[in-house]
Amino acid sequence: MGRKTFYAQYMKPLIDSMLGLLGLVCLSWLFLLIAVAIYVDDPGPIIYRQRRVGQKKNGEITYFNIYKFRTMKVSAPELPTHLLENPEQWITRVGKILRTTSLDELPQLWNIAIFHNLSIIGPRPALWSQDDLVAEREKYGANDVMPGLTGWAQINGRDELGIQEKARMDGYYVQHLDFAMDMRCFFGTFGTVARQEGIVEGGNGKVTK
């Protein structure tokens, strides 16, 4: 179970809402530029919606829609990236830049500030179909906290991590959830993105036997 501290229950949600709204206001110009670039590169929808696993409530797994800038071609198969045989062929030119810089994740500020189903820091929400990852996280209580835009696993391997290792790191975050840990994840994310570390198209997504 997550640590039910004053910070986790009261301060963290408040910080999420404030920073999420601030991000939406300050980055509105960037949203517009990215939207234009996406449409010019490959005309079609700007935003991509995907079903993800949310925070467990009353002992039951919940689901919500996460929002991203579209990085795949309109003609791409309707499959998660990790299930595509050669995902690179379906990524647009602008999409490649967005994925490398993680700018495709910016619309998730709506999830944080408006829908309140995502935190700034927390385990990255699993795809609705990733039962293996959800099961591994259950061992560590990582399904009991709100998922996040970035987290401990994202600054310690990102896509290169196997499912078991990712779940273990998510559990470590849950057990050490406090303001200091969130600050480590927050500022560590900037370094990881700047160095473009741990990016593997389609991810690892494997359970080690």
Side-chain angles (χ1 to χ4, degrees), residues 10-202:
Y10 303 105
M11 295 301 297
K12 185 177 173 70
L14 180 61
I15 292 172
D16 283 338
S17 295
M18 292 176 60
L19 291 183
L21 287 171
L22 182 63
L24 286 175
V25 173
C26 294
L27 298 176
S28 57
W29 62 273
L30 184 56
F31 273 68
L32 179 59
L33 287 179
I34 292 175
V36 171
I38 291 172
Y39 191 83
V40 170
D41 188 25
D42 186 55
I46 305 300
I47 300 296
Y48 177 71
R49 185 176 66 180
Q50 192 175 58
R51 194 173 186 229
R52 295 288 183 116
V53 177
Q55 182 179 10
K56 192 166 70 172
K57 296 181 180 179
N58 299 320
E60 298 291 333
I61 294 295
T62 63
Y63 300 89
F64 70 105
N65 288 321
I66 204 172
Y67 298 92
K68 294 186 175 188
F69 281 120
R70 179 173 60 87
T71 59
M72 308 288 280
K73 297 176 181 178
V74 173
S75 58
E78 287 291 328
L79 289 172
T81 307
H82 72 283
L83 294 180
L84 295 175
E85 185 174 344
N86 180 19
E88 291 281 356
Q89 68 176 314
W90 301 109
I91 300 174
T92 64
R93 291 170 297 178
V94 170
K96 182 66 176 178
I97 297 172
L98 296 178
R99 284 173 175 248
T100 301
T101 58
S102 294
L103 289 175
D104 61 317
E105 311 284 0
L106 282 181
Q108 286 160 48
L109 289 172
W110 297 336
N111 288 101
I112 295 170
I114 299 174
F115 302 112
H116 307 295
N117 48 23
L118 192 70
S119 179
I120 293 175
I121 308 297
R124 280 298 292 164
L127 288 165
W128 61 272
S129 58
Q130 288 182 301
D131 296 333
D132 44 5
L133 177 56
V134 174
E136 283 293 315
R137 282 176 167 171
E138 188 66 22
K139 299 176 184 178
Y140 301 98
N143 295 322
D144 296 309
V145 300
M146 187 173 290
L149 180 63
T150 185
W152 186 244
Q154 276 57 56
I155 66 172
N156 286 284
R158 202 172 175 178
D159 298 333
E160 293 177 341
L161 297 175
I163 284 176
Q164 291 167 315
E165 182 64 9
K166 185 179 295 183
R168 188 186 67 78
M169 287 194 175
D170 290 334
Y172 180 86
Y173 168 78
V174 171
Q175 293 304 315
H176 296 82
L177 201 169
D178 57 18
F179 182 72
M181 169 58 83
D182 277 359
M183 289 299 96
R184 291 177 67 183
C185 293
F186 183 81
F187 290 108
T189 298
F190 290 102
T192 299
V193 172
R195 294 189 295 272
Q196 299 181 10
E197 293 178 344
I199 301 174
V200 178
E201 291 303 343

